[in-house]
């Protein structure tokens, strides 16, 4: 029988972004398959998507579909061992937290190891760059930064502080006693007390992840509330531990981001230059690639090969790390990694860890693109086969040598372009590089605390609230549409948006990361603030691990005063409109248990177990102040967040202030 013809995705229905539509069409014309076409041909399993498929032992998979019309009376569904739908969904959910927390935290551990090498001066390539941040982080990890000399407190030797900080940081992954240090030193006191009361303060990062795997083994924890307790510990260990340490130590090593101009979308690639695209999550290698690619030696070498220079660009969170610190342009989001190669202009793509689709190897083999895997834990079967995929194991002790080799491979490949180059012209200017420190600089003040001006604008209602909108793309929904519509609706309603990950890239591509966009898209209050202080209404805070910056910004708002005692009191909300990765579930959960109402789009892996879902959607508010929610429609999604923000404004007694801001001139005159 003839094989059934494969369907092709409709490019316009598949992506909101015109550049991506062009490249999807081009791929189809060239017969190169992409994720968009695979999504058109393979349907997801609705039982797994709802969270009630268990394969934790070989008597399964046990699949528990939700009966049509929902559950009437008692839910009698069980796996072979008797595990209920709630147990199965909760086990799956916290295994996702374990996957996400381990990815962020192992990334953090890798950074901590390089930080240790730098502190001990065992590597030439990495040095302590931000000593101010080092001193702050050292103090938060309990390291003395001053000592008494002749009766006076003076700063201790910075090299000694660095080594002790590195030791204390690495200890956070596996210490035998005590609790996660940042839980107490960085979270608001009231939040720490909530965690204490609920018995969820993490002991160390690794242990909480391991314990999830133990508890979810067949026949261990079979109480969804108790399972979630462990999921909560691991999520806190991620957000306030592994991710936060990754961010802090990266800032110390590579510099704390400050606003920087750049561009975003596939149009940043250049036909007449060597295009080296960097993709993944860890900045350890990419920082050195940036330095090497800027050397005169490499630029001259590229010119010898007929190119006009070297154009670096980034995909996913390595891209976010590089734009934040160096202004290296963003090439695209998660769903554009294949499309960057389809331009025919990608001379090399270098990848490290996380969110790297294995199919980019197949796409690279259809073009001249050299695909280089670099991390020992993230190889591809194709890097052993003949073709364009190879593995260069990156070693931080020989960082410059390895980075030079990679840059040279890209340059040498410039002359091998075989397909016609077709780079879409679409790209947008952006301002990136925000963080806790730069928000303080732009929106801060010295009166009553560093975030006072931001708080003041929230209290007077010009800024209705603050939203953290983050997360991935998901090929089960139109690329970038949810991201952009949710964010536009929020800023239209005067909600300041803090963004990271692929949401940040989507907003960048849409032109929302410019101060000028405020006049076009924002409500009058937010537009006025953005115009006065010169910031975009959507602030790019970095990569996935940098969601920790959103937590810390919220903690700073609490500290500045006037908006309650804890994050749960603030008019804030979280969102991941197009999430897909386990990391997003871990992020969502640490937002929730830090007191933030958090809405996810596309699909929710709890929908097959209504009792369990109700527990984390509703009961959790009583335990932690934050709770989960789910909404596919982007406008309704944004309005659920706005309704929560308004609920918090009312509880704070600042809802009236906001009504005044919405008055127009004639209202004001009538008042006078
Ligand atoms: Fe089925 Fe229980 Fe085994 Fe899961 S653990 S696959 S529910 S028998
Ligand atoms: S890269 S985890 S697709 S945000 Fe951090 Fe984007 Fe999600 Fe990866």
């Amino acid at each position: 029988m003839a094989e059934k013809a494969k369907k092709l995705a409709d490019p316009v229905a598949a992506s909101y972004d015109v550049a991506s539509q062009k490249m999807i069409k081009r791929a189809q014309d060239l017969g190169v398959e992409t994720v968009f076409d695979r999504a058109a041909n393979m349907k997801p399993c609705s039982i797994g998507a709802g969270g009630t498929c268990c394969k934790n032992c070989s008597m399964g998979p046990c699949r528990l579909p939700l009966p049509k019309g929902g559950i009437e009376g008692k839910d009698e569904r069980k796996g072979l061992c008797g595990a209920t739908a709630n147990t199965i969904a909760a086990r799956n959910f916290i295994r996702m937290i374990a996957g996400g927390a381990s990815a962020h935290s192992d990334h953090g551990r890798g950074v901590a190891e390089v930080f240790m090498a730098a502190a001990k001066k065992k590597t030439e390539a990495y040095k302590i760059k931000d000593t101010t941040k080092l001193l702050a982080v050292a103090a938060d990890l309990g390291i003395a930064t001053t000592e008494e000399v002749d009766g006076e407190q003076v700063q201790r030797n910075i090299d000694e502080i660095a080594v002790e900080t590195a030791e204390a940081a690495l200890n956070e992954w596996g210490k035998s006693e005590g609790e996660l240090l940042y839980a107490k030193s960085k979270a608001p006191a009231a939040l720490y007390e909530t965690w204490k009361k609920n018995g969820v303060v993490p002991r160390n990062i690794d242990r909480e992840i391991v314990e999830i795997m133990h508890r979810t083994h067949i026949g261990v924890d079979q109480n969804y509330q108790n399972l979630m307790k462990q999921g909560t510990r691991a999520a806190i260990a991620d957000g306030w531990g592994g991710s936060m340490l990754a961010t802090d130590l990266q800032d110390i090593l590579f510099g704390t981001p400050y606003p920087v101009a750049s561009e975003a979308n596939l149009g940043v690639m250049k036909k007449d230059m060597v295009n080296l695209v960097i993709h993944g999550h860890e900045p350890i290698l990419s920082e050195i690639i940036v330095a090497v690619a800027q050397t005169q030696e490499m630029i001259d070498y590229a010119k010898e090969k007929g190119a006009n220079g070297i154009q670096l660009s980034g995909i996913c969170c390595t891209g976010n790390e590089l734009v934040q610190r160096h202004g290296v342009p963003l090439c695209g989001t998660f769903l554009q990694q294949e499309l960057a190669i389809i331009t025919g202009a990608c001379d090399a793509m270098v990848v490290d860890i996380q969110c790297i689709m294995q199919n980019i190897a197949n796409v690279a083999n259809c073009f001249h693109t050299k695909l280089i895997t670099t991390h020992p834990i993230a190889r591809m079967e194709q890097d052993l086969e003949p073709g364009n995929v190879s593995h260069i194991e990156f070693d931080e002790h020989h960082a410059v040598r390895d980075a030079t080799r990679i840059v040279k491979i890209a340059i040498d490949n410039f002359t091998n372009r075989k397909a016609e180059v077709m780079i879409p012209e679409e790209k947008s200017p952006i301002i990136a590089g925000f963080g806790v420190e730069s928000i303080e600089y732009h929106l801060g003040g010295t009166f009553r605390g560093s975030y006072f001006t931001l708080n003041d604008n929230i209290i007077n209602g010009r800024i209705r609230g603050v939203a953290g909108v983050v997360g991935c793309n998901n090929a089960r929904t139109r690329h970038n549409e949810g991201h952009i519509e949710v964010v536009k609706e929020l800023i239209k309603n005067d909600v300041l948006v803090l963004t990271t990950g692929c949401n940040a890239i989507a907003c960048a591509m849409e032109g929302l990361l410019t101060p000028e966009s405020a006049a076009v898209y924002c409500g009058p209050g937010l537009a006025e603030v953005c115009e006065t202080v010169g910031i975009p209404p959507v602030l790019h805070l970095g990569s996935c691990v940098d969601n920790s910056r959103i937590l810390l910004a919220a903690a700073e708002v609490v500290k500045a005063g006037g908006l309650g005692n804890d994050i749960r009191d603030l008019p804030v909300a979280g969102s991941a409109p197009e999430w897909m990765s386990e990391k997003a579930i871990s992020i969502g959960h640490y937002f929730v248990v830090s007191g933030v109402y958090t809405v996810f789009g596309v699909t929710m892996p709890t929908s097959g177990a209504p009792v369990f879902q109700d527990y984390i959607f509703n009961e959790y508010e009583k335990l932690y102040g934050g709770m989960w929610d789910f909404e596919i429609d982007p406008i309704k999604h944004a309005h659920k967040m706005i309704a929560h923000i308004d609920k918090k404004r009312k509880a704070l007694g600042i809802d009236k202030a906001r009504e005044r801001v919405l008055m127009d001139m004639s209202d004001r005159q009538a008042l006078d």
Side-chain angles (χ1 to χ4, degrees):
M1 213 169 76
E3 207 187 318
K4 209 170 145 198
K6 285 197 173 170
K7 288 187 217 146
L8 294 178
D10 170 355
V12 175
S15 178
Y16 183 89
D17 168 49
V18 174
S20 300
Q21 292 169 6
K22 290 179 189 169
M23 288 302 102
I24 295 168
K25 175 79 176 59
R26 179 176 205 218
Q28 292 170 346
D29 291 345
L30 295 173
V32 180
E33 184 195 82
T34 67
V35 60
F36 301 97
D37 296 331
R38 288 190 291 281
N41 286 283
M42 185 166 58
K43 285 210 160 54
C45 165
S46 63
I47 305 167
T52 52
C53 171
C54 182
K55 54 181 183 60
N56 291 12
C57 86
S58 72
M59 295 192 287
C62 295
R63 300 159 76 242
L64 275 51
L66 195 62
K68 281 204 175 72
I71 306 289
E72 274 181 34
K74 195 168 161 23
D75 187 350
E76 303 283 0
R77 294 174 297 158
K78 291 183 196 71
L80 256 66
C81 65
T84 63
N86 295 326
T87 298
I88 290 172
R91 286 198 303 216
N92 288 337
F93 195 79
I94 71 169
R95 278 198 172 198
M96 292 183 88
I97 293 178
S102 65
H104 287 145
S105 300
D106 218 29
H107 165 170
R109 187 203 321 266
V111 176
E113 285 169 349
V114 172
F115 180 76
M116 175 66 95
K120 289 187 170 170
K121 303 195 189 310
K122 286 190 174 164
T123 162
E124 282 284 298
Y126 304 94
K127 304 225 168 356
I128 305 290
K129 220 176 202 170
D130 188 338
T131 49
T132 309
K133 188 134 191 177
L134 169 62
L135 293 174
V137 168
D140 284 331
L141 291 172
I143 305 300
T145 56
T146 58
E147 61 189 346
E148 199 176 301
V149 177
D150 298 333
E152 272 185 36
Q153 284 295 319
V154 295
Q155 191 189 297
R156 290 179 56 211
N157 176 291
I158 200 82
D159 292 338
E160 283 173 24
I161 294 174
V163 172
E164 287 173 33
T165 302
E167 284 165 357
L170 277 165
N171 213 18
E172 290 299 273
W173 273 267
K175 62 191 177 189
S176 57
E177 51 189 37
E179 56 187 31
L180 190 77
L181 294 170
Y182 276 2
K184 191 158 193 183
S185 61
K186 297 245 199 195
L191 178 56
Y192 175 75
E193 286 311 317
T194 298
W195 293 338
K196 265 278 198 243
K197 195 173 90 200
N198 289 316
V200 293
V201 179
R203 293 154 289 187
N204 69 55
I205 298 163
D206 286 350
R207 179 170 182 175
E208 306 310 354
I209 294 164
V210 169
E211 193 171 309
I212 285 183
M213 298 313 286
H214 180 187
R215 286 199 194 201
T216 55
H217 186 275
I218 180 173
V220 186
D221 203 345
Q222 294 165 116
N223 172 324
Y224 65 88
Q225 299 186 0
N226 208 40
L227 283 159
M228 282 312 298
K229 202 166 163 180
Q230 186 53 27
T232 298
R233 279 197 199 100
I236 298 169
D238 174 0
W240 296 87
S243 283
M244 202 170 275
L245 282 162
T247 298
D248 279 348
L249 300 180
Q250 285 171 184
D251 282 356
I252 298 171
L253 281 175
F254 308 130
T256 301
Y258 279 91
V260 58
S262 189
E263 294 178 323
N265 209 346
L266 295 166
V268 303
M269 296 174 81
K270 297 212 169 69
K271 187 175 181 177
D272 61 346
M273 291 173 86
V274 174
N275 287 294
L276 173 52
V277 179
I278 312 175
H279 173 24
H281 279 77
E282 261 188 12
I284 306 282
L285 163 66
S286 50
E287 279 284 326
I288 310 298
I289 289 185
V290 172
V292 167
Q294 286 170 350
T295 60
Q296 198 55 48
E297 185 195 342
M298 285 299 124
I299 294 167
D300 290 345
Y301 187 54
K303 287 187 175 162
E304 264 174 44
K305 299 281 173 182
N308 275 335
I310 304 165
Q311 178 64 53
L312 298 178
S313 60
I315 289 187
C316 281
C317 286
T318 297
N320 283 325
E321 298 280 1
L322 292 179
V323 73
Q324 289 290 90
R325 296 195 179 86
H326 303 285
V328 170
L330 290 162
C331 189
T333 63
F334 170 73
L335 281 182
Q336 289 171 286
Q337 53 190 287
E338 294 164 314
L339 307 183
I341 300 174
I342 286 158
T343 59
C346 178
D347 301 304
M349 183 179 279
V350 55
V351 299
D352 50 66
I353 48 166
Q354 300 166 25
C355 303
I356 298 145
M357 290 189 202
Q358 190 169 353
N359 196 59
I360 55 173
N362 302 327
V363 180
N365 279 330
C366 296
F367 292 83
H368 78 301
T369 305
K370 298 286 184 198
L371 176 65
I372 305 157
T373 61
T374 56
H375 205 291
I377 70 160
R379 296 191 59 166
M380 290 183 181
E381 60 188 280
Q382 290 97 332
D383 70 33
L384 294 168
E385 294 165 1
N388 286 347
V389 191
S390 60
H391 182 73
I392 296 179
E393 195 140 310
F394 176 68
D395 177 343
E396 66 262 20
H397 296 97
H398 305 108
V400 174
R401 182 200 65 187
D402 295 343
T404 305
R405 202 171 146 205
I406 289 166
V407 175
K408 277 193 167 160
I409 287 174
I411 296 172
D412 288 335
N413 206 26
F414 177 74
T415 50
N416 295 332
R417 290 182 185 178
K418 38 187 189 192
E420 188 200 339
V421 168
M422 194 190 284
I423 302 172
E425 66 272 19
E426 285 78 13
K427 60 178 175 178
S428 293
I430 66 169
I431 304 290
F434 288 89
V436 177
E437 296 82 355
S438 51
I439 294 175
E440 183 178 326
Y441 174 75
H442 281 277
L443 278 167
T446 48
F447 178 58
R448 282 212 287 165
S450 56
Y451 269 53
F452 178 71
T453 309
L454 174 60
N455 287 26
D456 194 30
N457 277 303
I458 295 173
I459 292 164
N460 70 28
R462 282 190 192 91
I463 296 177
R464 189 176 195 151
V466 181
V469 190
V470 308
C472 324
N473 288 141
N474 184 320
R476 299 299 181 189
T477 188
R478 193 176 183 218
H479 168 233
N480 281 4
E481 183 172 60
H483 283 313
I484 290 162
E485 292 204 346
V486 167
V487 169
K488 279 188 177 167
E489 193 62 19
L490 289 169
I491 61 177
K492 184 174 130 193
N493 285 281
D494 292 321
V495 176
L496 176 70
V497 172
L498 309 182
T499 178
T500 64
C502 288
N503 179 274
I505 305 174
C507 291
M509 290 160 57
E510 186 66 7
L512 300 178
L513 302 192
T514 59
E516 296 74 28
S517 67
V520 183
Y521 298 109
C522 293
L526 181 59
E528 188 186 334
V529 174
C530 291
E531 197 176 302
T532 309
V533 297
I535 56 165
V538 183
L539 302 180
H540 189 334
L541 263 67
S543 66
C544 291
V545 293
D546 293 335
N547 284 306
S548 61
R549 297 192 202 274
I550 298 182
L551 297 177
L552 290 175
E556 288 298 322
V557 170
V558 172
K559 242 192 258 171
L563 290 169
N565 293 323
D566 196 357
I567 295 173
R568 60 161 53 181
D569 301 324
L570 304 177
V572 301
S575 158
E578 300 182 26
W579 78 280
M580 62 85 200
S581 75
E582 292 170 324
K583 291 182 287 174
I585 291 289
S586 184
I587 294 163
H589 200 62
Y590 70 64
F591 270 32
V592 164
V593 298
S594 299
V596 181
Y597 167 69
T598 302
V599 193
F600 271 37
V602 191
T603 178
M604 195 69 205
T606 54
S607 59
V611 173
F612 165 60
Q613 178 166 283
D614 180 68
Y615 180 60
I616 60 169
F617 277 37
N618 295 307
E619 295 298 306
Y620 249 53
E621 189 174 17
K622 293 178 205 136
L623 295 174
Y624 297 101
M627 66 284 203
W628 283 88
D629 206 346
F630 170 58
E631 179 55 62
I632 298 172
D633 181 276
I635 303 301
K636 287 187 192 154
H637 185 117
H639 279 280
K640 282 185 163 191
M641 298 166 73
I642 293 165
H644 179 81
I645 284 169
D646 286 349
K647 181 174 103 177
K648 293 293 169 182
R649 294 190 66 87
K650 191 158 187 224
L652 288 164
I654 56 172
D655 47 332
K656 298 286 175 295
R658 181 162 170 77
E659 283 164 22
R660 273 203 303 277
V661 165
L662 290 176
M663 287 179 179
D664 62 18
M665 196 45 79
S666 57
D667 292 332
R668 284 177 202 279
Q669 281 162 353
L671 259 188
D672 290 343

